[in-house]
């Protein structure tokens, strides 16, 4: 029987549709059933021995909320038996351009340590938000979580993860107690997203995500000389490719609206074969050698509110004679997205500030 290993994460939501991301323990049919009759089903796809699905949900009614459950091969796996949390809901926004949009945002999340270990960063704001929403049905609820980078720390692992890594390989060999490959990246997502409060929160509030440096390594793409030094390091290529692959699976896919997913050739290719690892790895290698071959930035519209999530790490121009936070093609795309639908002459684009992190632009 297929088990739910990770998720569900409620990702894209509009007035009539949504996507729900899950990882299962084996190949299976993944289904979402809503209390109001909306729902959807898809088969899992495989990457590096893991089985994922981004389940399309259709038939939602604008301006309503509906509880949902997840089924794998017909067996209900969410909500978890005996869950202390309220039902996971999909809130379909009303068709009202003047509606208020409430955004909860943050970055740099260190996964909560075990209860018997010191917390190096203090209380977890995401846990706190989850606890407030779970305990108070009348609490003001965000319409979207905007997670602005460093969802996982590939270069700063917890004591528990270091023990897990030590059982796999000799930590005296580079990269030591940092993650080295795709499987080790999955460990970081389990550690972060299986936190009970956070798991429930991500199941019921839509999320938008973008990477920053620690999703790969501190100061990722700082300069051409930095990159040359890293590329000369034996473990770097596997780390980078695994970071991009795991980001595409765990974060990027869920950022996209259903119509973009339907037209995405990589998504189609990965789903069309028994194991998409080699296809996804080739894509990540192309993204590394030619950053302009992929666009990680994306746009989400919430009524009259437009959110632009901008990649200012992989899209950097590192040429010392012409450095920039965004490549010309990426800057042109950003300008187009900002101006689309505004009906005004296009102004001369302002320079992108040096040293900016992944940001949201209204």
């Amino acid at each position: 029987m297929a088990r739910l290993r990770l998720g569900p994460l409620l990702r894209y939501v509009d007035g009539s549709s949504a996507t729900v991301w899950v990882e299962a323990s084996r190949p299976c049919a993944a289904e979402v059933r809503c209390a109001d009759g909306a729902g959807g089903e898809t088969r899992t796809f495989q990457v590096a021995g893991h089985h994922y699905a981004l389940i399309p949900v259709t038939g939602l009614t604008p301006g309503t909320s509906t509880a949902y459950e997840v089924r794998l091969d017909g067996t209900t796996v969410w909500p978890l038996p005996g869950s202390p949390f309220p039902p996971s809901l999909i809130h379909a926004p009303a068709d009202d351009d003047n509606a208020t949009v409430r955004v909860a945002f943050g970055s740099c999340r260190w996964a909560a340590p075990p209860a018997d270990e010191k917390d190096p960063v203090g209380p977890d704001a995401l846990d706190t938000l989850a606890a407030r929403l779970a305990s108070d049905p009348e609490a003001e609820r965000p319409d979207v979580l905007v997670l602005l980078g460093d969802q996982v720390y590939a270069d700063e692992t917890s004591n528990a993860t270091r023990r897990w890594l030590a059982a796999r390989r000799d930590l005296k060999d580079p990269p030591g107690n940092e993650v080295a490959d795709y499987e080790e990246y999955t460990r970081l997502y389990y550690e972060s997203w299986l936190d009970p409060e956070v798991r429930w929160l991500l199941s019921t509030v839509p999320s938008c995500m973008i990477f920053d440096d620690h999703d790969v390594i501190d100061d990722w793409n700082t300069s051409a000389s930095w990159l040359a030094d890293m590329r000369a390091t034996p473990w770097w290529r596997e780390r980078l490719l695994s970071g991009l692959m795991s980001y595409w699976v765990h974060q990027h896919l869920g950022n996209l609206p259903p119509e973009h997913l339907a037209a995405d050739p990589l998504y189609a290719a990965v789903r069309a074969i028994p194991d998409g690892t080699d296809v996804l790895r080739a894509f990540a290698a192309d993204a590394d050698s030619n950053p302009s071959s992929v666009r990680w930035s994306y746009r989400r519209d919430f009524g009259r509110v437009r959110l632009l999530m901008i990649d200012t790490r992989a899209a950097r121009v590192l040429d010392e004679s012409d450095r920039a936070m965004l490549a010309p093609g990426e800057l042109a795309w950003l300008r187009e997205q900002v101006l689309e639908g505004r009906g005004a002459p296009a102004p001369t684009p302002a320079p992108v500030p040096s040293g900016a992190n992944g940001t949201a632009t209204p």
Side-chain angles (χ1 to χ4, degrees):
M1 183 179 74
R3 297 177 290 104
L4 185 64
R5 294 192 68 180
L6 192 59
L9 277 74
L10 180 60
R11 299 303 314 273
Y12 177 89
V13 177
D14 61 27
S16 61
S17 66
T19 58
V20 175
W21 183 98
V22 297
E23 182 188 346
S25 63
R26 51 174 283 181
C28 62
E31 180 185 8
V32 167
R33 287 194 181 183
C34 299
D36 65 357
E41 182 177 356
T42 191
R43 294 290 304 180
T44 56
F45 61 90
Q46 179 171 307
V47 173
H50 293 258
H51 308 282
Y52 307 99
L54 190 61
I55 309 166
V57 179
T58 59
L60 298 171
T61 302
T64 66
S65 298
T66 181
Y68 75 90
E69 63 181 27
V70 176
R71 298 186 177 191
L72 301 179
D73 282 343
T75 299
T76 300
V77 295
W78 186 269
L80 300 176
S83 171
F85 298 100
S88 297
L89 304 175
I90 301 177
H91 295 264
D95 187 12
D96 179 4
D97 285 346
N98 293 315
T100 298
V101 179
R102 297 179 177 86
V103 178
F105 64 92
S107 67
C108 311
R109 181 172 186 265
W110 181 279
D116 60 346
E117 292 185 19
K118 181 181 178 181
D119 188 337
V121 295
D124 187 326
L126 207 58
D127 263 315
T128 302
L129 174 62
R132 180 166 65 85
L133 295 180
S135 63
D136 181 5
E138 302 303 317
E140 188 173 66
R141 179 189 179 96
D143 296 294
V144 62
L145 293 172
V146 178
L147 304 180
L148 295 170
D150 300 342
Q151 269 66 263
V152 294
Y153 277 70
D155 54 347
E156 296 182 36
T157 55
S158 68
N159 289 337
T161 291
R162 292 179 184 188
R163 291 191 291 268
W164 182 86
L165 293 174
R168 291 192 85 220
R169 55 181 172 84
D170 189 345
L171 299 189
K172 295 178 183 177
D173 297 329
N177 54 28
E178 302 180 15
V179 302
D181 59 22
Y182 187 93
E183 185 64 28
E184 294 178 8
Y185 263 101
T186 67
R187 165 73 188 191
L188 299 183
Y189 284 102
Y190 294 153
E191 184 175 55
S192 184
W193 289 356
L194 287 178
D195 173 292
E197 287 80 11
V198 170
R199 188 179 194 182
W200 173 80
L201 180 69
L202 293 174
S203 78
T204 196
V205 178
S207 54
C208 297
M209 306 181 188
I210 193 72
F211 50 52
D212 198 23
D213 55 342
H214 288 283
D215 295 80
V216 177
I217 194 170
D218 189 25
D219 292 335
W220 180 28
N221 279 350
T222 299
S223 67
S225 60
W226 180 96
L227 184 57
D229 288 344
M230 294 307 298
R231 285 178 170 170
T233 304
W235 54 268
W236 170 247
R237 180 172 173 80
E238 185 61 36
R239 164 78 149 272
L240 177 65
L241 298 188
S242 297
L244 293 177
M245 291 168 66
S246 63
Y247 174 78
W248 185 87
V249 169
H250 292 80
Q251 300 189 50
H252 181 68
L253 281 180
N255 291 328
L256 306 180
E259 62 270 21
H260 289 188
L261 284 169
D264 188 319
L266 177 60
Y267 185 52
V270 168
R271 297 177 66 208
I273 53 181
D275 189 316
T277 306
D278 290 344
V279 171
L280 187 54
R281 187 178 179 84
F283 162 80
D286 286 343
D288 176 36
S289 61
N290 180 19
S292 63
S293 68
V294 60
R295 173 163 293 121
W296 301 108
S297 303
Y298 61 95
R299 165 182 151 188
R300 289 284 307 275
D301 288 342
F302 303 87
R304 295 179 64 247
V305 176
R306 178 164 297 168
L307 175 70
L308 295 174
M309 296 287 275
I310 307 166
D311 161 27
T312 59
R313 284 292 173 181
R316 292 183 178 188
V317 177
L318 301 182
D319 182 347
E320 294 296 343
S321 64
D322 189 26
R323 294 181 65 175
M325 293 299 292
L326 295 178
E330 194 78 2
L331 187 58
W333 174 87
L334 174 61
R335 185 168 180 262
E336 291 169 1
Q337 302 306 310
V338 169
L339 296 174
E340 183 179 319
R342 296 199 173 188
T348 301
V352 179
S354 177
N357 288 318
T359 55
T361 301

